[in-house]
Amino acid sequence: MPIDATQPYDDQNVFAKILRGEIPNKTVYEDQWALAFHDINPQAPFHVLVIPKGPYVSWDDFSAKASADEIAGFVRAVGTVARDAGLVEPGYRLLANVGQHGHQEVPHLHVHIFGGRQMGAMLPR
Ligand code: AMP
């Protein structure tokens, strides 16, 4: 079920549990601002989620409330993961779902990085 992106942060969400080490994950990158790990249900040969370490529900919440350092650290982490995976030359896709129409399911901001194949048109018609 898609979430309501205006809800308060729920520290029992699955990515909060991953950040606390309560649920295992396949980490590909970690720094003080972000954690990146493989999606449990990959939609492409490369499908990694990058999440900020702070408690933000969505891109909306993060862009409104996070500090400049948190935003810079998170954005740089997304770029680093894609670069380190060799995705820049063939290209890749970033996706951040927000709320109901965005079909966001986990209420902790995450950017999907998809790569390893031709992604095709932007959205299904
Ligand atoms: P979204 O619809 O943007 O909220 O996507 C949530 C994503 O989280 C989906 O692609 C799920 O496959 C992924 N996901 C859910 N639980 C886990 C988990 N425990 N480890 C890794 N990925 C997960």
Side-chain angles (χ1 to χ4, degrees):
M1 275 287 288
I3 63 134
D4 171 0
T6 65
Q7 70 185 50
Y9 187 79
D10 170 11
D11 68 5
Q12 293 307 306
N13 79 76
V14 64
F15 294 167
K17 291 179 180 177
I18 284 176
L19 282 171
R20 291 195 296 267
E22 295 166 11
I23 291 180
N25 73 93
K26 287 165 63 181
T27 298
V28 299
Y29 178 82
E30 182 168 16
D31 65 20
Q32 102 181 79
W33 306 112
L35 177 70
F37 53 90
H38 287 280
D39 195 291
I40 205 166
N41 182 24
Q43 309 290 313
F46 183 93
H47 184 177
V48 161
L49 303 172
V50 190
I51 67 175
K53 291 218 165 156
Y56 299 101
V57 175
S58 68
W59 186 275
D60 177 71
D61 191 28
F62 185 68
S63 61
K65 297 185 191 150
S67 70
D69 282 349
E70 287 177 293
I71 291 171
F74 180 67
V75 170
R76 287 199 189 282
V78 173
T80 296
V81 171
R83 209 173 299 118
D84 289 355
L87 296 179
V88 177
E89 188 275 316
Y92 61 97
R93 179 166 291 166
L94 301 180
L95 177 69
N97 294 319
V98 181
Q100 293 279 331
H101 279 190
H103 213 277
Q104 179 181 359
E105 293 193 325
V106 178
H108 182 114
L109 169 62
H110 46 286
V111 169
H112 298 255
I113 305 178
F114 300 105
R117 67 168 166 82
Q118 172 56 250
M119 293 301 149
M122 197 156 55
L123 291 173
R125 292 174 191 277

